[in-house]
Amino acid sequence: MSRVKIIAGNWKLNGNKALVDEFNHTFNQTTFEHVSVMIFPPALYVNEFNCEHLTIGVQNVSEQTSGAFTGELSVDMLNDMGITHTLIGHSERRDIYNETNELIAAKVAQAIAVNITPVLCIGESLETRNAGNVYQFIQSQLDSVIEVVGITGLAKCVIAYEPIWAIGTGVTASPEQAQEVHRFIRDYLGSIDEVVAESLSILYGGSVNAKTASELFVQPDIDGGLVGGASLKKEEFLTICHAANQRG
Ligand code: PEP
């Protein structure tokens, strides 16, 4: 089955109007036949993008609908402004802002209820990997979402497998290490619903760069990448998009 290939750039707390303009300029002149390209800039900049070849999303969304929640954005606001995608559960949200599996599941439920697509981030720490608990850990992150939205709800997400030890460290998981976990995710979901498992796009994230992209994207269960640092460098990000497009 051919799944949607995605390259998504997570700008985190980086970027500015000049970088948005650079991306608008470059991507207005570039199309990718086999890859959907997404950017998750800081929320303030989402409406500064004016390129129809880019899908723009936000990096986080509230589990609340409205009210006294200073600093939050609701899924209805995203809809109102034509935003179709949001990251949910990035490891920086989990670790720095103490977001739990339960909170993340509630955010996913909010998003899919109004047809916003969550890019659900999961992934283990080095400690968990060294203890030999990768699969157990990943399964529990998936289960906590499935418990709330069911497998049909999870089917509306994109999954991003991002081992924490590879995020922002310059240490990319080897293609074999990444493929092994992607295969596990697909097999586990397949034990619940084969059709969903085969159709879900599972992205790899963690120090993807122009050098490592091709060998990652050739893996059968890797459907693209969630890219942090390298998504701030227009040329390198383009190279990564081309690498995924070739695997189309
Ligand atoms: C990320 O923040 O999702 C990420 C993968 O970052 P980096 O590519 O910089 O490791």
Side-chain angles (χ1 to χ4, degrees):
M1 167 178 284
S2 99
R3 290 181 284 270
V4 180
K5 292 258 181 322
I6 298 168
I7 295 297
N10 173 15
W11 283 10
K12 313 191 190 196
L13 188 56
N14 298 300
N16 51 28
K17 178 73 169 62
L19 190 65
V20 174
D21 291 343
E22 258 187 60
F23 271 64
N24 279 332
H25 181 71
T26 301
F27 281 88
N28 267 321
Q29 299 168 339
T30 318
T31 47
F32 294 99
E33 202 184 336
H34 303 297
V35 177
S36 169
V37 182
M38 300 179 185
I39 302 286
F40 294 85
L44 196 57
Y45 295 109
V46 290
N47 283 317
E48 297 300 320
F49 282 85
N50 59 17
C51 174
E52 61 180 24
H53 305 144
L54 291 173
T55 297
I56 307 303
V58 292
Q59 299 172 11
N60 182 31
V61 75
S62 179
E63 77 287 7
Q64 304 290 344
T65 45
S66 64
F69 301 100
T70 301
E72 295 291 289
L73 289 178
S74 75
V75 291
D76 287 337
M77 291 168 185
L78 299 187
N79 254 341
D80 196 24
M81 297 306 287
I83 303 297
T84 54
H85 287 68
T86 179
L87 300 183
I88 295 183
H90 190 281
S91 64
E92 286 152 17
R93 300 293 319 171
R94 293 177 188 261
D95 291 350
I96 304 169
Y97 298 99
N98 301 318
E99 293 197 3
T100 61
N101 278 340
E102 291 67 32
L103 180 72
I104 287 156
K107 291 183 179 201
V108 170
Q110 281 281 353
I112 62 174
V114 295
N115 294 322
I116 303 280
T117 303
V119 178
L120 171 65
C121 305
I122 57 176
E124 82 287 354
S125 65
L126 193 56
E127 203 183 5
T128 300
R129 177 162 281 262
N130 288 341
N133 292 333
V134 176
Y135 292 167
Q136 204 182 325
F137 186 81
I138 296 292
Q139 185 175 323
S140 70
Q141 288 187 320
L142 291 169
D143 282 344
S144 61
V145 175
I146 294 169
E147 269 164 33
V148 175
V149 299
I151 191 73
T152 49
L154 193 76
K156 295 179 179 149
C157 300
V158 169
I159 307 258
Y161 168 60
E162 300 205 298
I164 298 168
W165 48 270
I167 297 181
T169 58
V171 180
T172 318
S174 71
E176 295 74 24
Q177 278 174 321
Q179 165 58 25
E180 197 178 49
V181 181
H182 281 235
R183 186 70 241 169
F184 168 76
I185 294 169
R186 211 176 299 286
D187 282 346
Y188 177 60
L189 298 178
S191 70
I192 306 169
D193 187 319
E194 255 177 58
V195 176
V196 169
E198 281 308 309
S199 59
L200 259 189
S201 294
I202 309 177
L203 315 184
Y204 167 78
S207 297
V208 175
N209 58 44
K211 289 202 181 88
T212 54
S214 291
E215 53 183 10
L216 286 163
F217 301 151
V218 80
Q219 301 299 317
D221 289 293
I222 299 183
D223 306 310
L226 179 53
V227 183
S231 73
L232 295 164
K233 301 172 198 152
K234 186 193 62 193
E235 290 306 325
E236 182 158 19
F237 189 65
L238 263 180
T239 305
I240 293 168
C241 293
H242 280 294
N245 197 47
Q246 275 171 10
R247 302 293 160 205

